[in-house]
Amino acid sequence: MITFDRDVFDGFIFDCDGTLADSMPLHYQAWSETLALKLGRPSDFTESIFYHCGGMPPRQIVARLNHDYGYGLPVDETAHEKELRFLQLIPGVGPVPEVVEVLKQLGLQAKVAVASGGQTSIVRDTLSHIGIKAGPNEIVKFIVGSDQVKHGKPAPDLFLRTAELLGVKPERCLVFEDAEPGFLAAKAASMAWIDVRPFRANMAAAGRY
């Protein structure tokens, strides 16, 4: 069970993929299939490497693959095709019950947002599929995707922008995350964070690094 002192914080920020939504295996499937089509062979992007990139924007991942493996992939095109493939896989996404329960317990009066390395529209679709809506009359007040900031995780931009929208000082925010880039981003933003991985009953083996 995830526990924390609620009175210490004024704002609560949740990552989406791997935190609220059990979507990471399907994101990896989308990456694997897209890269294989672009390269004409299986890529070197292993599941373990993928999980270490958790929370990074798709364009940033493609750029990293080009740098590390000399692929020369068109960054925007490859990232876009990967996202289109993931959209086809969204029906297979389920919730992470242990984290969704925390979200629900915060209630409508809490200042809550979702901040994700994904594109805002795709994050919204993912959350909607698992029954989580966003808006002024919902528990989640804002969704902030990597397309809304200049630098994605592990830079602090995403979390700082989210705190600004919530009207909460960064140091009074608590972040729920599942990947190293997210932890680094929270630290850089002067925010406390909880690693949700130990609380997940079902998690891909490669995600248990």
Side-chain angles (χ1 to χ4, degrees), residues 13 55 57 60 115-116 144-146 148-164 170-171 173 175 177 180-191:
I13 303 173
Q60 200 169 320
S116 170
V144 184
S146 61
Q148 297 185 44
V149 295
K150 185 175 182 179
H151 303 290
K153 303 172 187 178
D157 303 34
L158 198 64
F159 289 144
L160 292 175
R161 174 57 179 157
T162 306
E164 181 182 10
E171 59 270 22
C173 288
V175 173
E177 263 284 359
E180 188 66 24
F183 307 147
L184 293 173
K187 182 178 180 179
S190 299
M191 297 180 181

Side-chain angles (χ1 to χ4, degrees), residues 24 33 36 38 44 94 99 106 114 119 142 149 151 154 174 194:
M24 292 297 275
E33 293 176 356
K38 303 293 283 187
D44 300 288
V99 185
L106 288 172
V114 170
Q119 298 291 301
F142 303 99
V149 295
H151 303 290
L174 177 62
I194 290 178

